[in-house]
Amino acid sequence: TSEPKGVVLKNKNLAANIHSAKEVIKNSVEGFSFLSILPLSHLFEQNVGLFIPMLFGAKIVYTSSKKSSSILEALNEEGIRGVVSVPLFLSSIKEKIEKIAEKEGKLDDLNNGLKRFGNSPLFLRRFIFRKVRKKFRELELFVVGGAALDIEVEEFWRKLGMRVLQGYGLSETAPLLTCNSYEHNKPGTVGRVVSGVELKLENGEIIAKGENVFSGYYNNKAETNKVLKDGWFYTGDIGEFDSQGFLKITGRIKNMILSSSGLNIYPEDIEKVLNSFPEVKDSVVIGLDSGKKLVGVILPNGKVKEGD
């Protein structure tokens, strides 16, 4: 979406973030086997998917293919208990489960079961939905980041008896800023601020300070000065804290569309509604003619027949 910038991170940035994550996870993943499916060039996978599991003595499994069949094979053969991933992975697997259930004529039973027992104790949910969970054997934890996780997808997996820990961060912050934990987990949010990090809102924008914050963009003082001010990193993301200190991401400043009537429009809000339709796989909303025209581009979930 813009010219690439090199993010300069020092060892102290990474080490500080690992320490922060350690305080969140504690010993809850000790002895786990994690499946690595994200590229290690991504800071999310580097710190959260590699260094932190290693810190707790966890096993990390790598696959030669990213196809769903290879991933499912690895889940079964390696006894995977945790996956660090982006929301798209959770959405894709959810869709596959629903398609299989629909093909077998059991989709209504699945949906009714989730509605009826979705708020039952964890052990009971895992027992009730054991036939569905059997496809994943020992899998019990998703650590999610990199993009916003749809609340319906999150609730689907929670009701099946999976733990979903959603967090938030950027490459510039090595990367973790907030995260849900085993003890404090609130659906629809990206959790509370991790230790060693200061976070506040300035005109709605999330700004951060801490040992994990990068020193600047490589050979690019102009861009560095735009986002680093008095030790604070201006993320460009818009958010809000609830009364319990949980953060919710509501949009991105660069994405905001100023309508001709002066209304601030955040495309993410409209895209969320569009994506809720089963016929829509994904969508993007853009403003044309300086916000005078609002246009939605939709990626259909399947083939589109002429006249539809």
Side-chain angles (χ1 to χ4, degrees):
T1 56
S2 64
E3 287 295 318
K5 299 184 288 290
V7 176
V8 179
L9 289 168
K10 299 179 180 179
N11 183 71
K12 71 171 186 177
N13 302 132
L14 298 174
N17 210 234
I18 291 171
H19 181 75
S20 298
K22 179 183 176 182
E23 296 300 312
V24 174
I25 298 173
K26 297 180 180 177
N27 294 318
S28 54
V29 299
E30 191 171 346
F32 269 41
S33 289
F34 279 89
L35 180 65
S36 178
I37 58 176
L38 298 177
L40 281 165
S41 57
H42 197 298
L43 258 295
F44 179 46
E45 180 62 26
Q46 270 192 40
N47 250 16
V48 183
L50 174 60
F51 296 145
I52 292 169
M54 286 176 64
L55 181 68
F56 290 100
K59 175 182 175 182
I60 305 169
V61 176
Y62 296 90
T63 62
S64 57
S65 171
K66 303 301 180 185
K67 292 182 179 179
S68 57
S69 57
S70 297
I71 291 174
L72 288 173
E73 184 179 345
L75 290 175
N76 282 284
E77 291 185 358
E78 300 291 343
I80 302 298
R81 294 178 64 186
V83 174
V84 176
S85 186
V86 292
L88 181 61
F89 176 76
L90 276 71
S91 300
S92 299
I93 301 299
K94 172 181 177 289
E95 289 175 7
K96 289 184 184 297
I97 291 173
E98 291 173 333
K99 285 181 179 178
I100 292 172
E102 185 177 21
K103 188 176 181 180
E104 296 176 350
K106 297 179 179 179
L107 183 58
D108 288 339
D109 292 338
L110 175 61
N111 289 331
N112 291 333
L114 292 172
K115 186 176 181 180
R116 183 178 178 184
F117 300 105
N119 294 319
S120 301
L122 182 61
F123 76 92
L124 186 58
R125 278 178 280 149
R126 288 181 173 176
F127 175 76
I128 292 171
F129 299 109
R130 62 190 183 281
K131 290 184 179 180
V132 178
R133 292 171 54 84
K134 183 174 65 175
K135 301 178 186 297
F136 311 104
R137 289 194 59 183
E138 298 179 43
L139 184 63
E140 62 177 87
L141 172 67
F142 287 118
V143 181
V144 189
L149 176 62
D150 186 274
I151 186 64
E152 290 185 7
V153 176
E154 184 175 4
E155 285 298 320
F156 173 85
W157 288 107
R158 287 181 187 276
K159 290 177 179 179
L160 276 182
M162 300 287 189
R163 293 187 187 275
V164 181
L165 303 185
Q166 185 179 183
Y168 162 69
L170 305 93
S171 296
E172 290 89 340
T173 58
L176 203 60
L177 290 174
T178 69
C179 191
N180 280 287
S181 66
Y182 272 64
E183 295 86 0
H184 307 288
N185 199 338
K186 192 169 187 177
T189 76
V190 291
R192 291 172 169 168
V193 181
V194 299
S195 66
V197 172
E198 291 182 64
L199 215 64
K200 64 180 182 179
L201 304 179
E202 186 172 296
N203 298 321
E205 182 178 3
I206 302 167
I207 63 175
K209 178 187 280 189
E211 287 293 311
N212 60 311
V213 175
F214 78 140
S215 56
Y217 294 116
Y218 182 69
N219 286 342
N220 197 336
K221 287 186 178 180
E223 290 299 319
T224 298
N225 292 335
K226 288 180 183 179
V227 298
L228 281 180
K229 303 173 185 177
D230 298 322
W232 289 92
F233 169 58
Y234 286 68
T235 67
D237 292 317
I238 300 170
E240 57 186 28
F241 287 101
D242 66 11
S243 59
Q244 297 174 307
F246 287 88
L247 179 66
K248 184 177 182 180
I249 309 298
T250 57
R252 179 127 181 107
I253 289 177
K254 290 182 179 179
N255 293 348
M256 189 191 78
I257 301 168
L258 181 63
S259 71
S260 55
S261 62
L263 180 68
N264 292 342
I265 300 172
Y266 295 100
E268 293 88 352
D269 294 335
I270 303 173
E271 291 164 359
K272 184 178 180 181
V273 175
L274 292 174
N275 293 343
S276 67
F277 291 97
E279 298 85 2
V280 178
K281 185 174 184 179
D282 206 352
S283 65
V284 62
V285 173
I286 56 176
L288 301 179
D289 296 337
S290 300
K292 293 179 181 179
K293 293 181 181 179
L294 202 61
V295 178
V297 182
I298 291 173
L299 177 65
N301 193 8
K303 294 181 178 180
V304 179
K305 296 180 181 178
E306 188 176 348
D308 285 355

